[in-house]
Amino acid sequence: AISSRRHVQIQRFQRPMPNTTYCKEWATEEALPLPSQPFLTAYMTVLALAALVLGVTIRSLRPQAIRQLLKDAGVAMHKVKSTATEIERKIFHLCGLLVPLTYQLLLTHGVSRGFCVTLCWLITVVGVCCDYLRVHVPFVRDHWPLKSILREKEANQLCGGSYFSLGCTLAIQVFAPVIAMTSILFLVMGDMTAALIGRSFGQSVCSMKIGPGGKKSVEGSAAMFLTCFVFGCTIFSPVHLREYAVVIGALVATLTELYEPFGINDNVTIPLLSGVALTFGFARTYSCEPARSPLLWYL
């Protein structure tokens, strides 16, 4: 009897412990691992067309009309002129939406991702070389077609467009297509919103100065975070638990624009760091679904 009792006790100790590790069970087939190709194509097309209409509408307005609209919107008198100038610059930056749109259209029509990367590098190298000539060759500088929207500090250095092209190219090469396109949207729409809101209403609600040298505002950073979050959630709307990864990506993009880490132009670091954050976020979301990991979204 004693030996049988010991045998029962040994069996209890050898009984495998229940698996308490929580793993998400997908309860519905409506939760897709990533947005479908038709959805991405329609999304990018509608966004680019909306930006085109907005740009044409603003360009058709006279400067006096734009300033009057800013006054009516509550922009302080001493900020109206600088805000109007910033709007002109940022409207041109909406052309950056052509990058994810073109990328998506090429992939949809069967063009390989490798060819897209090669094409991006070709455009970037040509663009940077032309910008380098602008800086060092007086004839090119005097006849530069976009010199009216250049910042003063860009007169003797590479302009933001060169860094934008480099950032987009690196994102397209490093990340899965949907991650690269989203990070570029964060750069185009988020950075534009931060600049316009910060220039118009910066330190109006919150007087605290943030960022290096206190040049950034809480209003501008908050606007960028909300913009990135909205665009991230809409582009990943078919994806389950998208909010987790999108919050991380939007927060990283906002902090990158705010502090410009490593002393590198944020046109390069925003798509790269936000792309890393989005990839990490979705990898965590699908940690129990290896087949749905964003590391396999290249395929």
Side-chain angles (χ1 to χ4, degrees):
I2 296 177
S3 61
S4 62
R5 186 178 302 172
R6 289 180 178 176
H7 180 69
V8 171
Q9 292 178 347
I10 292 175
Q11 284 185 335
R12 288 180 180 177
F13 282 111
Q14 291 179 345
R15 184 181 302 170
M17 298 295 293
N19 184 11
T20 58
T21 302
Y22 174 76
C23 186
K24 169 66 182 172
E25 293 183 4
W26 301 93
T28 174
E29 293 298 327
E30 296 179 358
L32 302 177
L34 72 163
S36 64
Q37 291 299 321
F39 175 82
L40 285 176
T41 303
Y43 186 95
M44 295 300 171
T45 302
V46 171
L47 185 59
L49 289 176
L52 176 62
V53 172
L54 177 63
V56 171
T57 302
I58 293 180
R59 294 292 294 179
S60 65
L61 296 175
R62 293 180 298 176
Q64 296 82 356
I66 295 178
R67 293 179 183 181
Q68 185 60 46
L69 287 174
L70 292 174
K71 294 177 183 178
D72 295 339
V75 179
M77 290 293 296
H78 66 281
K79 296 182 178 181
V80 169
K81 183 178 179 180
S82 60
T83 303
T85 303
E86 191 68 17
I87 288 176
E88 183 179 359
R89 294 188 70 258
K90 293 304 181 182
I91 287 301
F92 175 76
H93 284 190
L94 286 176
C95 295
L97 294 176
L98 293 175
V99 176
L101 173 61
T102 304
Y103 186 28
Q104 176 59 27
L105 290 177
L106 290 175
L107 294 177
T108 302
H109 287 82
V111 179
S112 68
R113 179 174 167 272
F115 177 83
C116 294
V117 171
T118 303
L119 179 62
C120 287
W121 276 114
L122 178 62
I123 294 174
T124 298
V125 170
V126 172
V128 171
C129 289
C130 292
D131 199 22
Y132 182 84
L133 292 176
R134 174 191 63 82
V135 174
H136 294 89
V137 179
F139 177 81
V140 178
R141 179 171 58 250
D142 295 338
H143 295 83
W144 191 253
L146 301 174
K147 62 180 180 180
S148 62
I149 63 173
L150 292 177
R151 297 184 185 276
E152 293 183 4
K153 65 179 182 179
E154 294 175 335
N156 299 312
Q157 64 183 33
L158 295 179
C159 66
S162 296
Y163 294 104
F164 174 83
S165 181
L166 178 60
C168 293
T169 299
L170 290 173
I172 289 174
Q173 178 166 24
V174 173
F175 303 115
V178 66
I179 296 290
M181 287 184 276
T182 305
S183 65
I184 295 172
L185 285 185
F186 284 3
L187 172 59
V188 175
M189 304 304 298
D191 184 65
M192 180 186 72
T193 306
L196 294 181
I197 297 299
R199 183 81 58 156
S200 302
F201 304 104
Q203 299 176 11
S204 298
V205 178
C206 180
S207 60
M208 183 176 61
K209 298 179 180 181
I210 57 177
K215 296 180 180 179
K216 303 297 178 71
S217 65
V218 175
E219 293 87 346
S221 295
M224 178 169 182
F225 175 80
L226 290 176
T227 300
C228 293
F229 180 76
V230 169
F231 278 101
C233 285
T234 52
I235 197 171
F236 286 103
S237 58
V239 181
H240 193 57
L241 297 178
R242 61 191 177 276
E243 296 86 357
Y244 176 84
V246 171
V247 164
I248 297 176
L251 182 60
V252 169
T254 303
L255 293 176
T256 302
E257 190 276 336
L258 179 61
Y259 291 105
E260 295 188 8
F262 314 116
I264 303 175
N265 190 286
D266 60 5
N267 286 297
V268 176
T269 52
I270 287 176
L272 286 179
L273 296 182
S274 62
V276 171
L278 287 170
T279 302
F280 169 79
F282 282 111
R284 290 285 298 170
T285 302
Y286 295 116
S287 60
C288 297
E289 293 281 340
R292 300 186 177 206
S293 171
L295 299 178
L296 300 178
W297 289 359
Y298 294 96
L299 304 178

